[in-house]
């Protein structure tokens, strides 16, 4: 196969950064340079405070970026990767995109592919601007024969688009194009990359395609068993990523649809998920009913799939997948509706606390959180305030996400209705309802997520409800009111604020409107 000495990873985001770091860790003789146009992101990758939070990421980056001598000097615990004291840094971060592309043997394209917000296909079609931009840079500056790897999630046949861009700029020069979709989940990115279920490598059925695929497979074989590296056709590879996400999301919508029936019948969606998950043909994963799926991938990938189906003249297929999104919206609307109904159909003069903004636990990613839709619906009822606490999402990131509500609700005004606070107790104090919108463990077990986040004992007062429980419990909302006496905290390190909070949250006499949802 083609020898690979230098890899350029374009896009230093949630996929590009961790993927490049793990490839560099396991291939110490290959130079891996991650480039991005965003200077602040690159600066953060070079610093001690990485731009994304992923368990295990810091260790991997430190070893590959700083080398063995430096990690030993700092006193980091030795690992098998730092046993070789001569291990040099081989992971670099840079904004010098062109210079890096010029010397690369392989370019991993990990740029963002969001949904188009304007023009033809707005709301469904994939916005290919970033990918096209990266490809143009490669076309103009890459060495002949450089291998192009699509890591971004793209519509089926994007490989052809890339080849057309290359041909337009460098007619007659061969640039093999591979599809190598990324299946990592946020919050478990390093584990998923270190022990992937499968590595899919799609190539064209040509000699140069197969040679390029073998070169990429060799990189992965440094730590992934060959049996898990699946060579397939390039179009299947592109489509399998959209199909995988669509089917995972479909399971969530399926169980959520059952949760709606449960709420009207007193059946328990948790019990149902458990019993159907015992059937090995179904399996237990992705059957947790809740607020509906969030995150930067599921919605946009299903939108892309429906658009693709429609463009191919398959409206029935498009309608089938569209229903997965419809059910997801229904779940949030229903949840917010429950909250409003429980608060006597009026939020005027009331304070709502929101615990958790991230789209799921163990990530600081505030993008595409189900919380945003819930907040939008609640704001329509004119609450006095909505106070948000999340252990990892920064105030700036949450505010950026909320800025889409600015025009209608002036959320960023100093006396606006939404506030992000760094303290869970401050968020909950004097509130009429506490909504747990992310299933962070700290809301159940009281353990802080980061050193700076405070232990939370709120869970003591509401039976450890998770979003799953929440939806199930909503019809029986009286039973989860926080009017029950607080049990003694299990965690010895109780925040001095806790008793005060508990008293403030426990009105005397019990007020029917005050509840934890
Ligand atoms: P991201 O927005 O976090 O990062 C993309 C980065 O690319 C940005 O920092 C942006 O500045 C940079 N970029 C864009 N155009 C560029 C250019 N021409 N040159 C240099 N840099 C450029 O996105 P992400 O979450 O890492 O996702 C990247 C891709 O991977 C998407 O297609 C996504 O669907 C897919 N994916 C994401 C996940 C996930 O969990 N986030 C999982 C699997 C696949
Ligand atoms: C997803 C895919 O899992 C991953 O393979 C792909 O590469 C990127 O998209 P991610 O978005 O990081 O990963 O998170 P995931 O764990 O899949 O959760 C997505 C959403 O579904 C979250 O909002 C989560 O809370 C929700 N979810 C998940 C449920 O509501 N119920 C479940 O049973 C599982």
């Amino acid at each position: 196969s083609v020898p690979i000495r230098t890899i350029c990873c374009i896009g230093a985001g949630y996929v590009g950064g961790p993927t490049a770091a793990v490839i560099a860790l396991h291939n110490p003789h290959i130079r891996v340079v991650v480039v991005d146009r965003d200077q602040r992101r690159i600066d953060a990758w070079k610093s001690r405070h990485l731009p994304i939070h992923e368990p295990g990421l810091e260790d991997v980056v430190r070893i590959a970026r700083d080398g063995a001598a430096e990690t030993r000097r700092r006193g980091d615990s030795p690992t098998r990767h730092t046993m070789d004291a001569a291990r040099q840094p081989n992971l670099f971060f840079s904004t010098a995109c062109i210079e890096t592309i010029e010397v690369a043997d392989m370019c991993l394209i990990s740029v963002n592919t969001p949904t188009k917000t304007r023009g033809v296909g707005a709301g469904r079609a994939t916005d290919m601007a970033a990918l096209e931009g990266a490809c143009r840079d490669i076309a103009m500056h890459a060495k002949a024969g450089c291998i192009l790897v699509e890591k971004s999630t793209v519509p089926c046949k994007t490989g052809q688009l890339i080849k057309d861009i290359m041909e337009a700029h460098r007619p007659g020069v061969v640039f093999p194009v591979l599809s190598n979709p990324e299946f990592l989940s946020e919050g478990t990115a390093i584990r998923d990359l270190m022990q992937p279920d499968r590595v899919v490598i799609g190539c064209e059925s040509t000699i140069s395609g197969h040679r390029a695929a073998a070169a990429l497979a060799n990189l992965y074989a440094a730590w992934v068993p060959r049996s898990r590296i699946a060579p397939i056709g390039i179009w299947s590879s592109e489509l399998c990523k959209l199909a995988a996400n669509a089917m995972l999301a479909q399971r969530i919508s399926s169980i959520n649809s059952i949760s709606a029936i449960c709420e009207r019948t007193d059946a328990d969606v948790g019990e149902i998920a458990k019993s159907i998950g015992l059937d090995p043909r179904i399996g237990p994963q992705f059957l947790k009913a809740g607020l509906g799926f969030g995150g930067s991938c599921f919605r946009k990938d299903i939108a892309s799939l429906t658009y693709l189906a429609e463009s191919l003249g398959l409206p029935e297929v498009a309608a089938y997948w569209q229903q997965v999104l419809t059910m997801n919206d229904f779940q949030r609307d229903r949840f917010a509706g429950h909250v409003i109904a429980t608060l006597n159909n009026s939020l005027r003069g009331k304070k709502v606390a929101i615990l958790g903004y991230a789209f799921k636990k163990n990530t600081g990613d505030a993008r595409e959180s189900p919380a945003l839709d819930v907040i939008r619906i609640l704001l329509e009822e004119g609450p006095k305030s909505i106070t948000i606490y999340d252990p990892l999402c920064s105030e700036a990131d949450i505010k950026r996400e909320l800025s889409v509500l600015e025009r209608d609700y002036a959320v960023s005004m100093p006396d606006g209705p939404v506030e992000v606070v760094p303290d869970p107790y401050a968020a909950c104090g004097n509130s009429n309802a506490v909504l747990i919108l992310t299933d962070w463990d700290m809301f159940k077990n009281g353990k802080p997520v980061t050193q700076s986040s405070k232990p939370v004992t709120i869970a003591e007062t509401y039976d450890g409800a998770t979003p799953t429980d929440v939806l199930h419990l909503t019809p029986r909302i009286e039973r989860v009111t926080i009017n029950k006496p607080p049990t003694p905290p299990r965690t010895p390190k109780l925040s001095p604020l806790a008793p005060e909070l508990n008293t403030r949250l426990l009105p005397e006499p019990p007020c029917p409107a005050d509840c934890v949802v």
Side-chain angles (χ1 to χ4, degrees):
S1 73
V2 192
I4 305 294
R5 290 181 208 88
T6 303
I7 296 176
C8 169
C9 175
I10 308 177
Y14 286 84
V15 166
T19 309
V22 171
I23 291 177
L25 179 78
H26 291 286
N27 292 277
H29 304 298
I30 293 179
R31 188 181 159 82
V32 181
V33 188
V34 188
V35 295
D36 203 293
R37 290 174 173 169
D38 184 338
Q39 181 75 54
R40 280 182 44 207
R41 227 171 192 183
I42 290 297
D43 289 345
W45 279 111
K46 288 172 154 178
S47 77
R48 290 179 54 190
H49 303 286
L50 303 183
I52 60 178
H53 170 87
E54 281 295 339
L57 177 64
E58 275 183 23
D59 294 336
V60 175
V61 169
R62 268 209 301 262
I63 296 168
R65 185 191 65 184
D66 303 342
E70 175 61 17
T71 50
R72 286 175 168 210
R73 192 190 61 74
R74 259 196 315 251
D76 294 357
S77 327
T79 73
R80 75 184 167 86
H81 298 285
T82 51
M83 295 299 260
D84 176 7
R87 181 186 173 121
Q88 296 296 311
N90 69 325
L91 174 66
F92 305 90
F93 296 92
S94 169
T95 49
C97 300
I98 305 302
E99 293 81 345
T100 309
I101 289 170
E102 277 172 351
V103 294
D105 303 307
M106 178 181 274
C107 285
L108 306 181
I109 307 170
S110 311
V111 300
N112 39 321
T113 49
T115 304
K116 272 181 87 172
T117 52
R118 311 175 60 158
V120 178
R124 288 172 311 141
T126 304
D127 184 342
M128 303 293 278
L131 186 121
E132 282 184 28
C135 290
R136 270 194 304 274
D137 285 347
I138 299 172
M140 287 191 287
H141 302 284
K143 294 191 287 196
C146 176
I147 300 170
L148 278 48
V149 184
E150 298 168 353
K151 281 219 71 74
S152 299
T153 304
V154 289
C156 188
K157 289 282 179 184
T158 297
Q160 189 58 51
L161 169 87
I162 297 179
K163 283 172 81 79
D164 291 346
I165 295 175
M166 304 311 283
E167 185 61 23
H169 287 84
R170 305 273 288 277
V173 182
V174 176
F175 290 101
V177 179
L178 301 174
S179 159
N180 173 220
E182 184 48 65
F183 297 100
L184 67 79
S185 297
E186 289 182 27
T188 53
I190 295 302
R191 196 186 68 202
D192 296 342
L193 286 163
M194 292 288 210
Q195 292 151 10
D197 310 318
R198 78 292 204 195
V199 171
V200 173
I201 299 179
C203 73
E204 278 189 294
S205 219
T206 58
I207 293 174
S208 64
H210 287 302
R211 287 184 68 208
L216 184 59
N218 284 345
L219 290 183
Y220 281 108
W223 79 99
V224 180
R226 288 267 179 193
S227 57
R228 294 200 186 170
I229 303 176
I232 61 173
I234 184 167
W235 316 129
S236 315
S237 175
E238 289 175 343
L239 190 54
C240 88
K241 173 65 194 180
L242 291 183
N245 273 358
M247 294 192 76
L248 288 170
Q250 180 205 42
R251 281 173 72 97
I252 300 171
S253 279
S254 297
I255 196 70
N256 282 340
S257 75
I258 300 296
S259 81
I261 298 178
C262 286
E263 287 175 25
R264 302 225 170 146
T265 56
D266 262 358
D268 183 323
V269 72
E271 288 175 356
I272 292 173
K274 200 169 169 192
S275 33
I276 61 178
L278 288 171
D279 183 333
R281 292 168 302 174
I282 297 175
Q285 306 278 342
F286 275 69
L287 286 181
K288 198 170 167 204
L291 263 187
F293 52 80
S296 61
C297 292
F298 282 173
R299 169 167 293 279
K300 90 171 165 66
D301 291 349
I302 293 182
S304 172
L305 189 63
T306 58
Y307 189 72
L308 179 70
E310 240 170 56
S311 323
L312 296 171
L314 299 166
E316 292 81 1
V317 178
Y320 176 78
W321 289 109
Q322 181 59 38
Q323 191 57 27
V324 173
L325 296 180
T326 305
M327 185 54 60
N328 205 46
D329 292 342
F330 176 60
Q331 200 72 349
R332 283 169 210 186
D333 295 351
R334 232 155 46 76
F335 175 80
H338 279 312
V339 175
I340 295 164
T342 310
L343 293 173
N344 301 331
N345 282 324
S346 169
L347 296 192
R348 294 256 167 233
K350 292 179 184 166
K351 175 185 170 185
V352 177
I354 290 185
L355 295 184
Y357 188 91
F359 77 96
K360 64 173 190 180
K361 68 178 176 183
N362 297 338
T363 175
D365 191 353
R367 299 177 297 179
E368 295 276 344
S369 168
L372 180 64
D373 290 328
V374 173
I375 291 170
R376 179 188 285 119
I377 299 170
L378 298 184
L379 282 171
E380 198 56 29
E381 298 295 326
K384 187 168 118 207
S385 67
I386 294 181
T387 312
I388 304 166
Y389 165 76
D390 187 280
L392 271 192
C393 292
S394 71
E395 179 177 353
D397 286 350
I398 295 176
K399 288 263 171 82
R400 191 177 318 116
E401 292 299 307
L402 294 177
S403 64
V404 294
L405 308 176
E406 184 58 32
R407 210 185 57 190
D408 293 331
Y409 308 106
V411 286
S412 71
M413 299 299 281
D415 56 350
V418 181
E419 198 187 359
V420 181
V421 295
D423 183 314
Y425 297 103
C428 295
N430 292 325
S431 54
N432 296 83
V434 179
L435 318 188
I436 298 134
L437 300 192
T438 312
D439 54 346
W440 283 107
D441 287 342
M442 75 182 293
F443 301 145
K444 281 184 271 181
N445 63 19
K447 290 198 182 122
V449 173
T450 62
Q451 278 177 349
S452 56
S453 56
K454 297 193 177 190
V456 173
T457 53
I458 296 162
E460 306 290 341
T461 61
Y462 70 92
D463 289 338
T466 64
T468 321
D469 303 327
V470 165
L471 277 171
H472 184 63
L473 288 168
T474 37
R476 297 182 257 134
I477 208 102
E478 324 80 58
R479 292 223 244 138
V480 286
T481 58
I482 55 166
N483 295 330
K484 104 181 193 196
T487 47
R490 279 190 295 265
T491 37
K493 277 193 232 149
L494 183 70
S495 158
L497 273 175
E500 188 205 341
L501 170 81
N502 287 340
T503 3
R504 270 195 277 146
L505 283 176
L506 293 167
E508 273 307 330
C511 157
D514 284 10
C515 60
V516 172
V517 177

